Amino acid sequence: MAIYDANNLDIEAIGKDGSIELFIISSGKFDDSNEQQTLLMNKIENYIGYALSEEFKSNHPDCLKEKIWIVLSLDKRPSALLVELCKKINPWVNSYGINYRVEYKSLFGQKRNLII
């Protein structure tokens, strides 16, 4: 299993450009099971809720919504099923004015962004 807890924020980082990145860290292979897909969707929903919350605004008063990123970080290139799911997630997250991207490690350990 790759995603364990939909209710915890894995990592919050501030980019050089002032963007806020909310990382979902997948430890191990994302197994494409319905359970993993549900956990991912629930986690993203919680991240959206946090990004739109008063707590977030209080912690990052100068951050514009368009500078907020939810980032799914994977150890390996995602499966075709996960890519299709991410294509559906992207417009959902964008509908809140928040950005979404998927990154993964290549065979040589370099980070790659999945184009969705």
Side-chain angles (χ1 to χ4, degrees):
M1 194 182 308
I3 297 173
Y4 299 98
D5 187 350
N7 298 314
N8 284 336
L9 178 64
D10 294 340
I11 297 175
E12 181 174 347
I14 301 173
K16 291 178 184 177
D17 64 351
S19 62
I20 305 296
E21 296 178 329
L22 307 174
F23 283 89
I24 298 171
I25 305 298
S26 173
S27 57
K29 185 177 183 323
F30 190 93
D31 65 18
D32 288 345
S33 68
N34 286 335
E35 179 184 11
Q36 279 297 285
Q37 292 177 53
T38 300
L39 278 168
L40 176 60
M41 298 299 286
N42 290 341
K43 192 160 188 109
I44 290 172
E45 185 173 37
N46 288 333
Y47 276 38
I48 291 169
Y50 171 63
L52 300 175
S53 72
E54 290 303 317
E55 176 187 3
F56 184 90
K57 291 174 191 167
S58 172
N59 292 338
H60 308 287
D62 298 327
C63 184
L64 303 171
K65 273 199 307 188
E66 56 269 10
K67 289 222 171 217
I68 301 171
W69 286 86
I70 295 175
V71 182
L72 175 59
S73 183
L74 304 168
D75 287 340
K76 300 191 182 315
R77 184 173 180 79
S79 67
L81 187 135
L82 183 55
V83 169
E84 289 306 310
L85 180 60
C86 289
K87 286 179 181 178
K88 295 174 184 170
I89 291 170
N90 198 29
W92 170 47
V93 173
N94 291 162
S95 73
Y96 291 95
I98 300 169
N99 298 294
Y100 175 74
R101 77 171 185 268
V102 178
E103 63 182 32
Y104 65 94
K105 291 180 186 169
S106 71
L107 291 175
F108 303 106
Q110 297 172 317
K111 281 188 183 177
R112 301 279 187 216
N113 287 321
L114 182 68
I115 306 301
I116 49 175

